[in-house]
Amino acid sequence: MTIPQTMTAIEISEAGGPDVLRPVSRPTPTPATGEVLIEVAAAGVNRPDGLQRKGHYPPPPGASDIPGLEVAGKVVAVGLGVNHLKVGDEVCALITGGGYATYCVAPEPQCLAVPKGFSMVEAAAMPETFFTVWHNVFERGRLAAGESILIHG
């Protein structure tokens, strides 16, 4: 597969409603060390995307100004140091921005295989919730095998 030098991305032309989103041509990103390049099949729409569009949520330093924090698609290139993913793998990923585009880069640890039975659209809506729950329950809360948890609210 030949990766084009430019791609279509959705840019926020000014703060406002959905009508401020504009398709533009941008250079196709190149994966850095530890990153993969994903050909985006679907992107999730999150509260931060809407806040960014309204001018209330600036991208973090170094992040893309293109909205989109969740994507699903196919890996089309890998950077140095990528050990578990390969070209052709179907993944969903949580990224710091750039998902509203034909291609985006994602750190390898922030990519998951598209779950069996999930469409790309369904997979694109999963990473933010999954990573948030995993972080809070297993990393912060340290839930271990044999323990129980009650979640309400």
Side-chain angles (χ1 to χ4, degrees), residues 17-107:
D19 57 316
V20 304
L21 299 173
R22 302 270 188 267
V24 296
S25 182
R26 291 270 188 103
T28 301
T30 302
T33 299
E35 292 181 334
V36 299
L37 179 65
I38 300 169
E39 183 176 22
V40 177
V45 178
N46 289 284
R47 185 170 186 264
D49 298 319
L51 291 173
Q52 183 180 354
R53 178 182 39 79
K54 292 176 183 177
H56 302 300
Y57 189 84
S64 173
D65 65 328
I66 299 168
L69 304 177
E70 299 178 289
V71 297
K74 189 177 289 190
V75 174
V76 294
V78 297
L80 295 173
V82 170
N83 300 309
H84 304 290
L85 294 174
K86 63 186 181 317
V87 171
D89 286 348
E90 292 186 343
V91 297
C92 55
L94 179 63
I95 55 178
T96 59
Y100 291 8
T102 309
Y103 297 91
C104 73
V105 292

